[in-house]
Amino acid sequence: MSDDHATQALSCYGSVINRTPNLDRIAQNGMLFQHAFCTNSICSPVRAVNLTGKLSHINGVLDNIFPFDGAQPTVPKYLQAAGYQTAMIGKWHLKSDPTGFDHWKILIDQGEYFNPRFKENGRINKTEGYVTNLITDDALAWLERRDPSKPFFMMLHHKAPHRNWMPDLPYLNLYDSILIPEPASLFDNYATRGRAAREQEMSLEKDMHLNYDLKVWQDTSAGTEPWLKNGMERELAAMTAAQRRVFMEAYRDENELFIKNRPAGEALVRWKYQRYVKDYLRCVASVDDQVGRVLDYLEKSGMAANTIVVYTSDQGFYLGEHGWFDKRFMYEESYRQPLLVQWPGHIPSGVQSDALVMNLDFAPTLLDAAGVEVPADMQGQSLKPILISASTPPDWRKATYYHYFEYPGIHAVKRHYGVRTDRYKLIHFYFNNDEWELYDLGKDPSELNNVYTKNEYRSVRESLKRTLDSLQIVYKDFPENYLGALEPKQYKHKALKKAVQLTYPSEKPAALKSLTDGLYQDYNIYNAGIRNGYAAFREKPFEGVIDLGKSRDIYRLRFHFMQSPESWIYYPESIEISVSEDGKTYEPVPSIAFRPTQKTGHQWANLAFDPRSARYVKWMAKGLSYIPSGQPGAGEKAWIFCDEVAVE
Ligand code: SGN
Ligand code: CA
């Protein structure tokens, strides 16, 4: 798997901008899927779906912020149990350490292109070299030293061609002095589209930064984010002197010409497009080479005949289409994933499939191919029947489902969900807007013409809405659960696993396990197992002390509260904080007040104060003395419900 490799940049998918001879080998040896789609077009969520065979709202990784709960059953764990040796090498990006692997060596977070850090067995080491090559080196070394008497499962995950597209030194001048064809929609004006397409922050024109993204280190204008300004300086500083010399030399002349001429308007967008896409394709060239090395190894060692090779990317990407880079939208370029599979003796060679498939299908497919029973709670379908017959069974799905959550967030793509059939796509943007879009892909494959309100599409629209409703029931995904702020279910803080001394016990103790276990928001009944519950207080205030074990630097206390007026549960009226070094004398700490932004639901009260050191942290939260008139239980005392106290 690679990161952000769009089908537009694979020659087996008809690329008009590059060649990928090694990746094409997989297509020639096996099957190419024309209609493979991700369920949530962003990194960590795709990875969690691939591992579990369950959608984001079930596996818990809604966006790039939520950590993966590694206690869940996953493909490598099922395969391990079936006698497989398992390995995970490269980009992981799931926050928690990998589980279910005999060997793992992962990049830290996004990873670095040059001289990256790898984490292996809990230790972090920096290795000199280029990331795509280093990941492949480790993969081949593991294949070489594995126990040949047992079957194996290896996940080899490249970082490339992810932003900020840093090519390896031998490829820096590839495509110099040629013009890469521009996509037809480079200057899209979003005429028929809604706010989501107009308000995104992933445009080449406005959001792609000259310094950080495009390697014009001479340009020091601030970007939309301050870190963009000196981004290239940081990248160059991380290189060895020899690497830096070659790297800077390769861009120098073109950069100087750019600074001298300073193109503007459309000419600037065109210049940015060329620089961006060339660097992206240079990164792809390394991926292609390195995949070739793996294929060669499998062929030379004789393993190819009995090995399934799958190539995919976590999602697609915009290569200037609609004027964009990045992904996230359910529009084709980022929704569609490359998917190539070779399995000699099982899949005929050089075949293609039009079946509507999702990355949700990967987990059941791999288990099925290995002869392991597919667990009933996996939500995808095995592709094995399609692979071995090279045809689509008549009862195969007629629509794919999508749900993107990371908003508010980087690139400002609004939350949305939708369905795609072989002919149409229906999308609903929600949260801080309520807009529908409908595309007739048969007539408008580039999705430039939203026909949602057109009369002639009335019956199509209604039928797609029925499909959408039924898929949401099948997948147990209810968007109304996501109308509020999103927070990960797990939280790391200084009070994690520390005991809380409550002055007055919770009046509903059955639900309470711990107020500092780092878990919260387990109210979502569609997520298996209530592990943590709310502590409840009514007659007496919610008051307690946490002993941090030693004096520690702290700056904020957070409480995760619930408000549900129909059950007489309210956010507290006031919260007072005090701290102590000896647990005896407490000093009051003035903090900012809690101002709830929602009437009902679950919300953090964030009480920041001037940073200080302390060992003991104490608080007293008072509930409403009178429930307001007009509300259920008016005039009565209110409950306080809290399920997490976090010390930062
Ligand atoms: C980084 C990138 C974003 C990108 C996200 C998600 N900025 O934040 O452009 O959308 O990752 O990518 S960067 O300048 O730091 O590269 S993902 O692949 O992890 O989903
Ligand atoms: Ca990605």
Side-chain angles (χ1 to χ4, degrees):
M1 184 158 86
S2 54
D3 196 346
D4 298 353
H5 191 182
T7 54
Q8 307 92 285
L10 276 136
S11 34
C12 53
Y13 278 94
S15 168
V16 293
I17 56 177
N18 71 332
R19 314 305 305 157
T20 45
N22 290 297
L23 292 163
D24 294 2
R25 277 161 72 186
I26 308 176
Q28 283 146 17
N29 294 338
M31 183 176 280
L32 177 151
F33 285 85
Q34 285 291 1
H35 292 126
F37 301 102
C38 58
T39 54
N40 180 356
S41 182
I42 181 167
C43 192
S44 312
V46 167
R47 288 156 205 270
V49 170
N50 292 354
L51 284 167
T52 60
K54 295 173 187 161
L55 289 169
S56 308
H57 64 287
I58 305 276
N59 71 45
V61 181
L62 295 173
D63 61 26
N64 276 349
I65 293 139
F66 284 67
F68 182 66
D69 172 3
Q72 301 181 68
T74 56
V75 171
K77 289 186 192 173
Y78 286 117
L79 289 177
Q80 251 180 348
Y84 276 71
Q85 299 163 82
T86 60
M88 161 65 224
I89 299 150
K91 182 168 172 184
W92 172 249
H93 202 203
L94 285 167
K95 271 64 86 187
S96 54
D97 280 351
T99 53
F101 296 99
D102 301 314
H103 166 67
W104 57 265
K105 183 167 177 179
I106 57 170
L107 296 171
I108 311 300
D109 192 47
Q110 294 285 3
E112 296 91 25
Y113 273 106
F114 283 92
N115 315 324
R117 291 163 302 152
F118 284 99
K119 185 171 184 187
E120 184 179 5
N121 300 327
R123 279 201 316 276
I124 298 177
N125 286 309
K126 199 171 154 152
T127 315
E128 191 174 319
Y130 186 69
V131 68
T132 310
N133 309 353
L134 294 172
I135 288 170
T136 310
D137 291 347
D138 192 67
L140 295 181
W142 185 77
L143 287 176
E144 202 46 44
R145 71 172 185 270
R146 80 194 201 287
D147 174 355
S149 70
K150 289 196 200 158
F152 73 90
F153 171 64
M154 182 173 78
M155 302 180 84
L156 194 177
H157 290 185
H158 287 297
K159 167 197 170 58
H162 190 274
R163 192 184 188 187
N164 65 338
W165 319 291
M166 303 270 290
D168 193 8
L169 306 179
Y171 283 124
L172 287 167
N173 294 98
L174 183 68
Y175 308 115
D176 267 7
S177 73
I178 67 156
L179 273 186
I180 307 280
E182 289 171 0
S185 61
L186 183 60
F187 296 100
D188 192 353
N189 63 5
Y190 319 117
T192 67
R193 263 71 52 77
R195 281 175 50 204
R198 289 196 299 268
E199 293 175 12
Q200 43 59 42
E201 293 171 3
M202 44 194 255
S203 94
L204 263 62
E205 185 196 350
K206 300 195 196 86
D207 308 300
M208 181 168 273
H209 196 254
L210 283 169
N211 180 307
Y212 173 67
D213 289 316
L214 300 176
K215 292 101 193 164
V216 187
W217 56 83
Q218 296 93 330
D219 184 288
T220 53
S221 53
T224 42
E225 305 278 344
W227 56 267
L228 289 169
K229 182 175 161 185
N230 297 317
M232 195 37 57
E233 212 169 280
R234 214 173 43 234
E235 299 290 339
L236 292 170
M239 293 182 183
T240 65
Q243 291 166 339
R244 188 161 46 242
R245 199 170 336 107
V246 180
F247 197 89
M248 294 179 79
E249 197 46 45
Y251 293 99
R252 192 182 313 275
D253 290 354
E254 227 181 65
N255 281 4
E256 280 168 7
L257 207 63
F258 174 85
I259 297 284
K260 197 169 128 231
N261 298 335
R262 279 284 172 187
E266 287 198 357
L268 175 59
V269 173
R270 296 209 143 99
W271 190 92
K272 284 177 147 187
Y273 169 75
Q274 292 297 328
R275 173 60 65 90
Y276 156 50
V277 166
K278 286 178 182 178
D279 279 345
Y280 178 95
L281 296 177
R282 291 163 180 150
C283 292
V284 169
S286 285
V287 172
D288 188 67
D289 283 351
Q290 297 301 314
V291 169
R293 270 178 80 200
V294 176
L295 296 177
D296 289 347
Y297 176 86
L298 293 177
E299 281 162 20
K300 287 202 190 98
S301 64
M303 286 155 70
N306 192 25
T307 302
I308 303 174
V309 179
V310 181
Y311 180 78
T312 187
S313 169
D314 51 354
Q315 16 44 225
F317 212 69
Y318 296 94
L319 301 179
E321 298 87 358
H322 307 293
W324 296 338
F325 65 104
D326 216 69
K327 48 247 181 184
R328 298 153 193 276
F329 278 107
M330 198 194 170
Y331 305 133
E332 292 293 277
E333 292 83 356
S334 56
Y335 182 36
R336 194 169 173 218
Q337 306 175 284
L339 180 59
L340 310 171
V341 189
Q342 74 174 49
W343 189 8
H346 293 83
I347 309 176
S349 46
V351 287
Q352 298 206 353
S353 171
D354 276 329
L356 294 169
V357 313
M358 303 192 266
N359 65 317
L360 190 61
D361 302 328
F362 296 176
T365 304
L366 293 167
L367 296 186
D368 195 14
V372 174
E373 198 188 326
V374 179
D377 62 352
M378 283 194 175
Q379 297 179 297
Q381 280 169 259
S382 169
L383 301 176
K384 194 175 159 198
I386 298 177
L387 292 168
I388 56 185
S389 70
S391 66
T392 311
D395 59 350
W396 190 254
R397 75 165 67 86
K398 303 287 182 282
T400 53
Y401 181 66
Y402 186 79
H403 195 163
Y404 171 82
F405 300 86
E406 192 174 283
Y407 182 89
I410 185 169
H411 299 302
V413 174
K414 297 189 192 298
R415 287 184 207 177
H416 60 290
Y417 53 86
V419 283
R420 187 202 193 279
T421 64
D422 58 352
R423 172 77 190 263
Y424 300 103
K425 187 185 290 178
L426 177 74
I427 311 178
H428 184 214
F429 294 94
Y430 72 102
F431 183 67
N432 67 345
N433 68 335
D434 178 9
E435 287 175 311
W436 291 85
E437 294 183 2
L438 172 63
Y439 296 96
D440 181 344
L441 301 169
K443 290 191 184 154
D444 175 29
S446 309
E447 297 160 305
L448 297 172
N449 193 17
N450 167 24
V451 294
Y452 183 77
T453 54
K454 296 271 185 305
N455 272 336
E456 60 269 36
Y457 284 95
R458 202 175 126 196
S459 68
V460 169
R461 185 169 69 218
E462 281 167 8
S463 138
L464 287 168
K465 280 197 176 172
R466 282 194 297 276
T467 307
L468 183 61
D469 287 348
S470 65
L471 286 182
Q472 289 183 331
I473 293 168
V474 168
Y475 293 127
K476 303 188 178 71
D477 187 21
F478 301 102
E480 59 268 29
N481 289 348
Y482 303 100
L483 292 170
L486 289 178
E487 298 258 16
K489 291 161 63 67
Q490 196 155 12
Y491 185 77
K492 281 203 172 143
H493 54 83
K494 291 183 175 176
L496 197 66
K497 307 240 161 74
K498 296 274 185 302
V500 179
Q501 294 304 320
L502 291 171
T503 313
Y504 312 103
S506 165
E507 293 182 48
K508 289 189 185 295
L512 172 66
K513 280 195 187 142
S514 169
L515 281 167
T516 56
D517 60 0
L519 297 170
Y520 54 93
Q521 277 203 347
D522 272 337
Y523 63 95
N524 186 342
I525 55 164
Y526 302 106
N527 279 313
I530 305 288
R531 287 171 301 187
N532 189 23
Y534 279 87
F537 307 88
R538 183 158 179 245
E539 291 303 326
K540 299 278 188 352
F542 169 36
E543 186 180 281
V545 178
I546 292 176
D547 177 359
L548 297 174
K550 61 174 187 194
S551 184
R552 309 191 64 167
D553 295 335
I554 58 177
Y555 67 93
R556 184 157 84 156
L557 207 55
R558 309 182 78 197
F559 299 88
H560 193 238
F561 288 121
M562 183 200 289
Q563 181 154 295
S564 175
E566 62 185 21
S567 308
W568 304 13
I569 302 166
Y570 282 83
Y571 299 132
E573 195 167 63
S574 66
I575 312 172
E576 280 159 26
I577 303 174
S578 53
V579 295
S580 165
E581 285 292 8
D582 59 7
K584 291 181 191 117
T585 19
Y586 280 85
E587 179 200 337
V589 175
S591 76
I592 62 164
F594 170 43
R595 304 236 177 277
T597 54
Q598 319 174 167
K599 286 217 177 70
T600 59
H602 309 255
Q603 195 167 356
W604 280 104
N606 297 317
L607 277 66
F609 41 80
D610 287 339
R612 68 196 61 228
S613 294
R615 172 168 170 176
Y616 298 90
V617 183
K618 187 185 203 168
W619 67 89
M620 202 217 345
K622 283 194 186 139
L624 290 186
S625 344
Y626 299 102
I627 292 175
S629 61
Q631 299 297 321
E636 301 282 349
K637 260 182 173 254
W639 287 91
I640 296 182
F641 269 48
C642 180
D643 74 337
E644 188 73 15
V645 182
V647 183
E648 291 186 329

